[in-house]
C-alpha cells in the first residue's frame, strides 16, 4: 500500500513537468489590507478614463456560443463612430466596464488585457479551437488519468493550465492592472452560499488574499467550472488575519435588513466571505448565481444605497449617460423531451432543471435592470444632475425569424463549435446590436454614425 501511495505521489508530481499543473491552486496571503492596493473598480486612475458616459457591457454564459456572440457585438461597437467628450471615438472605446460569466468571461478578460489585439488573436486562439477536446485529451494521458484520482490534480487544474498557457499568455491580475484598460468583472459562484463571487481585490480583502499574483486563467476557470463536468476551483480563506475593516457602505447595508432588504442582501453577498471560521471556499460556474453578468453592477449600486453613494465610494463623478449593453446567449428548452413517454434520463432532467432556473432568473434580472435604470434617472434628476439611461439587449429572442431563433438558441453549450456556427454567431451578434432600436437611439444621441449591416455568411 505504501508503494502504491508513493507511486501516485510520483505520478502527480511528474504531471507538473508535462504541463498539467501550471501553478498552485491556493491563493497567496495578503499581509495587510489596503484600500488603495490591488485590482479594484474604485481606483479610477488604474483604469480607462470613464469620461461623461458610463458604459457597462455584460457577456452571459454559454460556452463558445456566448463568447462568439459577445465577440460579434464587440466588432459592432468597434465600428460605431461617436462623438464623446469632444473627441471622435468608437463606441468600444467608451466601454469602461466589462462583466463576464462562464463562456462570456473569456472575451471580457481578453479585451481587458489586450484590447484591440482581440480582433487579431481571439478567433484562432479560442473561438475556433477545440478547447473541450484539449481538456479531454490532457485528462486521458495515462499519468494524468492516475493523478486525477488523487487530491493533487483536478479537471479544472487541467483547464486552468490550458487557458493560462495558450489563451491568456500567463497573465495575472497584476497584468490586468497594468493594462489600464476597462474594469473587468469575472464572476463565479460561491458553492457554499450560492452567491455571486467577483474577482476584485475588494472581495479578496474579505478572505485576506492577494489577487494581484493570481493568474487570470484561474478566475476564468472558476467562472466556467460547470458542476459535474469540471471540478470546483478551491481557494484558501485567511479571513481576519490582515487587518481588514468592513467599508462603511457595507456596514450600513448590513444594518438595513428590514427597511431595505435588497440593500441588505447585496451587502451580505459581499460580506459573507468574511467568516473567520472558514478555512476554504469553493467556486463554480458563475451562471448559477447570475448568468447575465449584470448583478455585479446592480449589487454595487444596491449595497451603496443608491447611485450617488456608490459613485462616491468608487470616486466617480455622476455621468451624463448610463448605458447597459446586455449580451445574452441564452438557449431555449429542448422540445424533444416531450416527444417520448419514457421518463427523462439524469442528464436530460438536469439540463431541463438548470436551464429553466437560469431562464427564469435571467428574466427577473433584466426586469430589475430596467427598473433600476429608471430609478437612477429619477435620483439623478432630484440631485440636479440629469442622467440619460439606455438599456440595449442583444439576444436570440430579438431575431424576427422563428427559424433563426430556433437555430441559434439550440447551438450547443460547449467549448467546441464548428467554423460555420462561429461565423454565424459573430455575424448575428454584430447584426443584433446594430438593429437594436435602443442602440440606434444611443448612437444618434451621441451624434455618431452606425456602420453598415453586413449580409449573413454564405455557405459553399
Amino acid at each position: 500500500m505504501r508503494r502504491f501511495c508513493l507511486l501516485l505521489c510520483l505520478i502527480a508530481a511528474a504531471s507538473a513537468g508535462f504541463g498539467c499543473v501550471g501553478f498552485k491552486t491556493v491563493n497567496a496571503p495578503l499581509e495587510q489590507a489596503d484600500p488603495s492596493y490591488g485590482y479594484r473598480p474604485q481606483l479610477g486612475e488604474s483604469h480607462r478614463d470613464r469620461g461623461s458616459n458610463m458604459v457597462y457591457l455584460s457577456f452571459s454564459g454559454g460556452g463558445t456560443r456566448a463568447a462568439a456572440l459577445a465577440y460579434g457585438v464587440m466588432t459592432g461597437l468597434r465600428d460605431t463612430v461617436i462623438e464623446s467628450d469632444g473627441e471622435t471615438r468608437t463606441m468600444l472605446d467608451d466601454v469602461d466596464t466589462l462583466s463576464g460569466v462562464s463562456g462570456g468571461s473569456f472575451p471580457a478578460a481578453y479585451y481587458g488585457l489586450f484590447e484591440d489585439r482581440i480582433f487579431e488573436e481571439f478567433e484562432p486562439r479560442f473561438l475556433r479551437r477545440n478547447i473541450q477536446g484539449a481538456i479531454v485529451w490532457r485528462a486521458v494521458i495515462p499519468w494524468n488519468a492516475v493523478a486525477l484520482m488523487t487530491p493533487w490534480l483536478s479537471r479544472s487544474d487541467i483547464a486552468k493550465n490550458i487557458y493560462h498557457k495558450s489563451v491568456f499568455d500567463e497573465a495575472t491580475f497584476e497584468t490586468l492592472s497594468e493594462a489600464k484598460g476597462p474594469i473587468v468583472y469575472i464572476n463565479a459562484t460561491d458553492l457554499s452560499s450560492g452567491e455571486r463571487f467577483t474577482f476584485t481585490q475588494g472581495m479578496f480583502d474579505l478572505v485576506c488574499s492577494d489577487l494581484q499574483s493570481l493568474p487570470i486563467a484561474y478566475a476564468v476557470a472558476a467562472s466556467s467550472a460547470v458542476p459535474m463536468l469540471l471540478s470546483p476551483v478551491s481557494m484558501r480563506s485567511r479571513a481576519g488575519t490582515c487587518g481588514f475593516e468592513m467599508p462603511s457602505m457595507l456596514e450600513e447595508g448590513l444594518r438595513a435588513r428590514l427597511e431595505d432588504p435588497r440593500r441588505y442582501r447585496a451587502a451580505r453577498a459581499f460580506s459573507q466571505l468574511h467568516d473567520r471560521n472558514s478555512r476554504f471556499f469553493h467556486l463554480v460556474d458563475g451562471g448559477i448565481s447570475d448568468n447575465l453578468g449584470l448583478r455585479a453592477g446592480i449589487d454595487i449600486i444596491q449595497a451603496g444605497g443608491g447611485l450617488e453613494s456608490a459613485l462616491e465610494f468608487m470616486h466617480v463623478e455622476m455621468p451624463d449617460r448610463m448605458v447597459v449593453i446586455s449580451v445574452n446567449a441564452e438557449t431555449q428548452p429542448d422540445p424533444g423531451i416531450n416527444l417520448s413517454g419514457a421518463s427523462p434520463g439524469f442528464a436530460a432532467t438536469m439540463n431541463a432543471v438548470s436551464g429553466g432556473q437560469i431562464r427564469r432568473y435571467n428574466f427577473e434580472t433584466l426586469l430589475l435592470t430596467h427598473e433600476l435604470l429608471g430609478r437612477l434617472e429619477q435620483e439623478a434628476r432630484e440631485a440636479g444632475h440629469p442622467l440619460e439611461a439606455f438599456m440595449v439587449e442583444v439576444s436570440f429572442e430579438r431575431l424576427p425569424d422563428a427559424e433563426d431563433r430556433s437555430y441559434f438558441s439550440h447551438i450547443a453549450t460547449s467549448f467546441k463549435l464548428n467554423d460555420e456556427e462561429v461565423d454565424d454567431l459573430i455575424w448575428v451578434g454584430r447584426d443584433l446590436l446594430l438593429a437594436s432600436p435602443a442602440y440606434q437611439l444611443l448612437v444618434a444621441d451621441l451624434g455618431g454614425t452606425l456602420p453598415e449591416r453586413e449580409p449573413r455568411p454564405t455557405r459553399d
Side-chain angles (χ1 to χ4, degrees):
M1 183 66 181
R2 182 179 297 176
R3 289 182 179 179
F4 179 68
C5 291
L6 179 59
L7 176 62
L8 291 182
C9 290
L10 289 172
I11 291 173
S15 67
F18 288 93
C20 298
V21 184
F23 38 84
K24 292 182 180 179
T25 59
V26 178
N27 39 314
L30 182 69
E31 297 300 326
Q32 178 62 49
D34 179 353
S36 66
Y37 168 78
Y39 191 77
R40 55 183 87 223
Q42 63 266 38
L43 298 184
E45 70 276 6
S46 66
H47 302 289
R48 176 184 284 180
D49 180 21
R50 292 177 172 89
S52 61
N53 303 319
M54 182 174 286
V55 183
Y56 186 101
L57 178 58
S58 69
F59 298 150
S60 80
T64 301
R65 183 187 67 249
L69 182 70
Y71 179 79
V73 168
M74 294 178 78
T75 67
L77 295 170
R78 175 200 61 190
D79 296 340
T80 301
V81 178
I82 60 170
E83 295 294 325
S84 178
D85 298 317
E87 295 181 38
T88 300
R89 306 156 57 98
T90 74
M91 196 70 224
L92 188 58
D93 291 332
D94 248 27
V95 171
D96 43 43
T97 303
L98 290 100
S99 179
V101 177
S102 195
S105 67
F106 287 87
Y110 206 93
Y111 184 73
L113 286 166
F114 308 123
E115 297 204 42
D116 285 349
R117 278 175 51 187
I118 194 171
F119 300 113
E120 302 170 6
E121 303 170 353
F122 194 63
E123 287 189 58
R125 298 188 78 174
F126 184 79
L127 294 180
R128 300 186 189 276
R129 283 185 63 194
N130 183 357
I131 297 289
Q132 192 166 293
I135 295 172
V136 172
W137 184 85
R138 295 279 184 95
V140 299
I141 294 174
W143 48 85
N144 282 349
V146 174
L148 283 168
M149 294 186 286
T150 75
W152 303 298
L153 183 68
S154 72
R155 297 184 299 280
S156 285
D157 288 328
I158 292 173
K160 283 184 290 187
N161 196 59
I162 291 171
Y163 307 157
H164 186 60
K165 299 283 187 181
S166 64
V167 179
F168 294 112
D169 290 345
E170 303 187 9
T172 64
F173 277 88
E174 184 174 12
T175 316
L176 190 60
S177 297
E178 292 171 350
K180 296 190 182 298
I183 296 164
V184 178
Y185 293 128
I186 301 174
N187 303 286
T189 300
D190 179 3
L191 186 60
S192 65
S193 67
E195 295 285 0
R196 175 188 53 77
F197 180 95
T198 301
F199 284 80
T200 66
Q201 186 58 53
M203 292 291 277
F204 271 60
D205 283 350
L206 293 163
V207 293
C208 291
S209 182
D210 189 347
L211 179 63
Q212 290 295 83
S213 61
L214 192 79
I216 294 294
Y218 204 117
V220 171
S223 181
S224 55
V226 179
M228 295 184 293
L229 296 179
L230 291 169
S231 49
V233 171
S234 300
M235 294 191 175
R236 184 178 293 276
S237 174
R238 301 177 178 86
T241 65
C242 61
F244 170 73
E245 295 183 8
M246 196 75 71
S248 58
M249 181 180 80
L250 292 185
E251 292 280 13
E252 292 169 9
L254 291 171
R255 290 194 292 268
R257 184 172 63 88
L258 297 179
E259 60 270 27
D260 192 346
R262 276 185 171 170
R263 183 179 184 186
Y264 167 75
R265 181 65 185 262
R268 192 182 71 175
F270 283 107
S271 64
Q272 63 186 346
L273 284 167
H274 193 56
D275 180 356
R276 300 186 182 207
N277 295 318
S278 294
R279 297 176 57 199
F280 295 90
F281 58 103
H282 309 280
L283 303 175
V284 293
D285 187 81
I288 296 171
S289 54
D290 171 24
N291 198 50
L292 293 177
L294 289 172
R295 293 270 172 173
I298 291 172
D299 286 349
I300 289 172
I301 293 172
Q302 290 188 331
L307 178 62
E308 191 170 6
S309 56
L311 292 178
E312 183 179 348
F313 171 73
M314 296 170 63
H315 307 292
V316 177
E317 294 183 2
M318 182 75 74
D320 294 331
R321 296 175 188 84
M322 177 166 282
V323 181
V324 175
I325 303 175
S326 170
V327 184
N328 181 7
E330 177 183 284
T331 59
Q332 294 304 309
D334 181 7
I337 201 170
N338 292 330
L339 299 179
S340 171
S343 178
F346 177 77
T349 301
M350 289 301 296
N351 285 337
V353 170
S354 62
Q357 290 174 331
I358 287 173
R359 283 187 290 274
R360 179 178 290 275
Y361 196 54
N362 283 354
F363 178 74
E364 296 297 334
T365 297
L366 288 168
L367 287 182
L368 177 61
T369 305
H370 280 283
E371 174 191 318
L372 182 61
L373 288 174
R375 289 210 316 270
L376 296 182
E377 281 187 314
Q378 183 178 347
E379 270 188 45
R381 279 196 302 270
E382 291 172 354
H385 189 125
L387 170 71
E388 291 184 272
F390 296 84
M391 176 73 179
V392 180
E393 294 182 52
V394 174
S395 73
F396 303 136
E397 279 298 298
R398 302 270 164 172
L399 288 166
D401 184 78
E403 287 188 9
D404 284 344
R405 289 197 300 273
S406 177
Y407 164 67
F408 283 106
S409 64
H410 286 96
I411 292 177
T413 301
S414 73
F415 287 122
K416 175 191 175 183
L417 296 180
N418 63 48
D419 284 341
E420 289 186 1
E421 290 170 325
V422 172
D423 288 341
D424 285 341
L425 286 161
I426 293 173
W427 169 81
V428 81
R430 174 189 171 90
D431 198 66
L432 280 168
L433 174 75
L434 300 181
S436 165
Y439 187 66
Q440 293 172 359
L441 183 63
L442 168 65
V443 173
D445 190 60
L446 289 167
T449 305
L450 287 165
E452 289 187 9
R453 294 169 65 184
E454 297 175 349
R456 186 168 180 170
T458 57
R459 305 287 175 246
D460 293 333

